């Protein structure tokens, strides 16, 4: 990634026309009026939000069907790899999508990504063996990594700066219904039609958003960011680093499966690969929270990693320590989908723009408080609804933080670097997830947390291991608190909105 030079405000609203006389990808950036649903943006907005909606349904539905699929395919021992395969390949695809989008525009990687995502679903849904199922999940990860970065580039090119918070809020809102309805719908389909239909049914729904969005993407966001500038060659070094990052993540996840001495070997090898590759793929200054873009990317990882690592243990804690059924434990998090969308909606209001940094700091404080309060239900005198209330507050903060980091990234990126910087943002998100989940899982198992798994089948607590859960939640609350400090460094000193050189 080349260094970002200080730019005037007008640099973000330059227009360019291509040799065919079509408006360049930045042409709509001069529009200071309108909305994401005006005639110029309606088809594009509905199309790309529909893509996010389908991805959200898949993400929430697959988790429900996965246990049944693993049992039927005699692959329970490989259960974790069905998740890690998706994550590992998506890391590589994010870097590929960033370069592809910056060189040729986001249309091709988006189309290829959706096609790969659908192909992976079909492969998993028709698999006769667990290894084929895992291969399908890996293909899905390639598609998902391509799609998420391409969508960010489309937003950066096709929407004026004042419209970007609104479209990011729409992305967040599109997760609300799937987070509430997805598990219930997937459970019903799995019970009455079979788990395979959860996978093979989704690709058919992809046709509508593609048909709606592709013409608008071709018109407003196709081609390189500046057609007058020669297309840069592929950065083969970054591709190699991306492969190393994916391999390191896979080794770390494999090594973290069991607490055995032999597991240390792949785990150490994974860390040895992750450290240099992550340093090469993230902007210079990310690890020391340099002001501007590096802090934006670091904050995204801190927020996502701490929150997801803690959230993963909430249902297990409620089932095993307080005797709730899995359904009720899952419903305790349902409020979070609504408050997440509310937080994203708040950051999209025009009056919040001058206070965006303060809003992000407040959001991280709310996240830290929510994670710290959640394990209070380990005390039997504390009612279980406290978790639902705390998680609703935490999701409110996350909605503001995640959407704001996306908006700030586009604001701090040169037009030709939106793809590469969006890939870095997603890498920070995904890499932090695996690192903090691995750390939390290891601490949980080391303090006897593995024994609580026997309580899940009976929906009752058969053994109390509060220290194991506290070892997950309290450190993650501390990580989120560090994120509140990083949030004070999102703007370069003396030059709001401009990142320091990298």
């Amino acid at each position: 990634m080349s260094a970002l030079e200080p730019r005037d405000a007008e640099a973000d609203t330059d227009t360019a026309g291509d040799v065919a006389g079509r408006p360049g990808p930045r042409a709509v950036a001069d529009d200071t009026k309108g909305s994401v649903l005006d005639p110029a943006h309606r088809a594009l907005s509905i199309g790309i939000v529909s893509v996010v909606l389908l991805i959200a349904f898949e993400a929430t539905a697959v988790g429900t069907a996965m246990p049944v699929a693993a049992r039927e395919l005699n692959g329970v021992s490989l259960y974790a790899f069905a998740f890690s395969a998706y994550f590992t390949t998506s890391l590589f695809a994010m870097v590929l999508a960033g370069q592809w989008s910056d060189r040729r525009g986001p249309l091709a990687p988006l189309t290829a990504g959706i096609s790969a995502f659908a192909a992976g679903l079909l492969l998993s849904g028709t698999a006769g063996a667990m290894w084929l199922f895992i291969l399908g999940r890996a293909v899905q990860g390639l598609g998902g990594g391509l799609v998420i970065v391409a969508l960010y580039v489309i937003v950066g090119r096709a929407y004026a700066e004042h419209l970007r918070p609104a479209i990011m809020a729409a992305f967040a809102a599109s997760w609300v219904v799937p987070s509430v309805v997805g598990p219930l719908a997937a459970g019903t389909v799995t019970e009455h039609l079979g788990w395979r239909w959860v996978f093979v049914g989704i690709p058919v729904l992809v046709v509508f958003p593609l048909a709606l969005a592709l013409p608008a993407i071709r018109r407003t966001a196709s081609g390189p960011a500046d057609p007058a500038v020669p297309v840069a060659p592929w950065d083969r070094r970054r591709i190699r680093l991306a492969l190393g990052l994916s391999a390191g993540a896979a080794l770390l996840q494999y090594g973290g499966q069991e607490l055995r001495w032999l597991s240390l070997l792949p785990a150490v090898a994974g860390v040895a690969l992750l450290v240099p590759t992550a340093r090469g793929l993230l902007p210079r200054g990310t690890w020391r929270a340099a002001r501007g873009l590096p802090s934006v990317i670091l904050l995204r990882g801190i927020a996502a990693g701490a929150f997801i690592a803690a959230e993963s243990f909430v249902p297990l804690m409620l089932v095993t320590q307080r005797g709730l059924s899995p359904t009720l434990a899952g419903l305790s998090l349902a409020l979070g989908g609504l408050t997440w969308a509310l937080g994203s909606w708040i950051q999209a209001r025009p009056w919040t723009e001058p206070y965006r940094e303060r809003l992000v700091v407040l959001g991280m404080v709310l996240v830290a408080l929510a994670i710290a309060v959640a394990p209070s239900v380990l005390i039997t005198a504390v009612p279980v609804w406290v978790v639902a209330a705390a998680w609703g507050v935490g999701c409110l903060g996350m909605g503001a933080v995640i959407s704001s980091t996306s908006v700030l990234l586009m604001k701090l990126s040169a037009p030709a670097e939106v793809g590469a910087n969006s890939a870095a943002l997603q890498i920070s998100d995904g890499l932090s997830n695996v690192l903090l989940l691995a750390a939390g899982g290891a601490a949980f198992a080391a303090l006897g947390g593995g024994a609580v798994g026997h309580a899940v089948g009976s929906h009752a607590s058969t053994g109390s291991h509060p220290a194991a859960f506290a070892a997950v939640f309290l450190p993650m609350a501390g990580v989120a608190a560090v994120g509140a400090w990083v949030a004070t460094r999102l703007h370069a000193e003396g030059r709001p909105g401009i990142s320091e050189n990298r």
Side-chain angles (χ1 to χ4, degrees):
M1 242 179 285
S2 61
L4 281 183
E5 298 296 335
R7 296 176 286 117
D8 293 331
E10 291 79 3
D12 279 334
T13 57
D14 287 345
T15 61
D18 63 15
V19 292
R22 296 175 303 169
R26 306 287 295 181
V28 294
D30 284 332
D31 182 16
T32 58
K33 299 180 180 179
S35 72
V36 296
L37 290 177
D38 62 24
H41 299 95
R42 187 179 299 127
L44 178 62
S45 297
I46 295 175
I48 62 177
V49 170
S50 297
V51 170
V52 176
L53 184 68
L54 288 175
I55 291 175
F57 263 115
E58 186 275 340
T60 55
V62 165
T64 302
M66 196 78 77
V68 180
R71 286 197 301 269
E72 185 174 314
L73 296 173
N74 296 316
V76 175
S77 62
L78 301 175
Y79 183 79
F81 290 102
F83 292 95
S84 61
Y86 183 101
F87 170 78
T88 301
T89 54
S90 67
L91 280 176
F92 170 73
M94 290 171 188
V95 177
L96 179 65
Q99 290 200 42
W100 196 352
S101 297
D102 285 340
R103 294 178 76 253
R104 299 296 183 184
L107 182 60
L110 177 68
T111 306
I114 291 179
S115 300
F117 194 79
L121 284 167
L122 290 174
L123 182 57
S124 292
T126 57
M130 191 62 179
W131 71 268
L132 276 174
F133 183 89
I134 293 173
L135 178 61
R137 292 289 291 164
V139 175
Q140 277 184 257
L142 284 172
L146 291 172
V147 168
I148 188 63
V149 173
L151 287 176
Y152 271 61
V153 176
I154 290 169
V155 171
R157 292 190 181 189
Y159 293 86
E161 185 174 323
H162 72 284
L163 294 179
R164 293 171 193 164
I167 195 65
M168 298 311 301
F171 283 177
S174 65
W175 280 81
V176 174
V177 174
S179 66
V180 177
V181 178
L184 178 62
T188 302
V189 171
T190 299
E191 182 178 347
H192 294 285
L193 298 178
W195 65 266
R196 296 182 185 275
W197 285 100
V198 175
F199 291 85
V200 302
I202 294 177
V204 180
L205 304 177
V206 172
V207 176
F208 167 73
L210 274 182
L212 193 62
L214 288 185
I217 296 171
R218 186 177 293 109
R219 184 178 65 254
T220 61
S222 62
D226 188 351
V229 176
V231 177
W234 285 92
D235 188 339
R236 299 183 186 278
R237 175 179 173 273
R238 289 184 62 79
I239 298 296
R240 290 193 297 270
L241 288 173
L243 285 171
L245 186 73
S246 294
L251 287 169
L252 182 61
Q253 291 173 86
Y254 177 78
Q257 294 292 313
E258 300 180 37
L259 291 177
R260 297 185 302 171
W261 287 109
L262 288 178
S263 300
L264 287 176
L265 295 177
V268 171
V271 172
L273 276 173
L274 282 174
V275 172
T277 54
R279 286 177 60 88
L281 289 170
L282 298 179
R284 187 182 306 140
T286 298
W287 302 111
R288 57 183 174 86
R291 287 188 174 274
L293 186 65
S295 284
V296 171
I297 291 175
L298 177 62
L299 177 63
R300 178 60 165 263
I302 288 175
F307 189 82
I308 295 302
E311 186 179 57
S312 300
F313 286 87
V314 170
L316 184 63
M317 178 175 65
L318 293 177
V319 169
T320 62
Q321 304 301 294
R322 296 302 298 266
L324 269 66
S325 69
T327 300
L328 287 177
L331 287 175
S332 69
L333 303 178
L335 176 64
L338 297 173
T339 57
W340 190 304
L342 176 61
S344 187
W345 179 85
I346 290 173
Q347 66 81 35
R349 299 305 90 199
W351 60 266
T352 64
E353 186 58 38
Y355 311 102
R356 184 171 296 279
E357 183 175 297
R358 297 180 186 177
L359 181 64
V360 174
V361 172
L362 176 60
M364 287 307 304
V365 171
L366 294 179
V367 171
L369 288 174
I371 297 174
V373 168
S376 65
V377 297
L378 294 168
I379 304 171
T380 56
V382 177
V384 293
W385 59 259
V386 169
V387 170
W391 224 246
V393 171
C395 286
L396 178 69
M398 285 293 289
V401 171
I402 297 300
S403 294
S404 288
T405 54
S406 301
V407 171
L408 287 168
L409 176 126
M410 296 171 197
K411 184 176 182 179
L412 298 173
S413 299
E417 292 185 328
V418 173
N421 290 342
S422 296
L425 189 77
Q426 297 302 323
I427 288 170
S428 178
D429 188 318
L431 185 59
S432 179
N433 281 342
V434 69
L435 291 176
L436 293 180
L437 274 169
F444 182 75
L447 291 175
V452 304
H454 300 296
V456 176
S458 63
H459 303 168
S461 176
T462 60
S464 180
H465 297 272
F469 287 100
V472 174
F473 285 95
L474 297 183
M476 296 308 157
V479 172
V482 172
W485 171 77
V486 175
T488 65
R489 303 176 60 79
L490 302 183
H491 290 155
E493 191 167 359
R495 296 293 300 277
I498 303 298
S499 75
E500 64 176 30
N501 291 347
R502 292 178 289 155

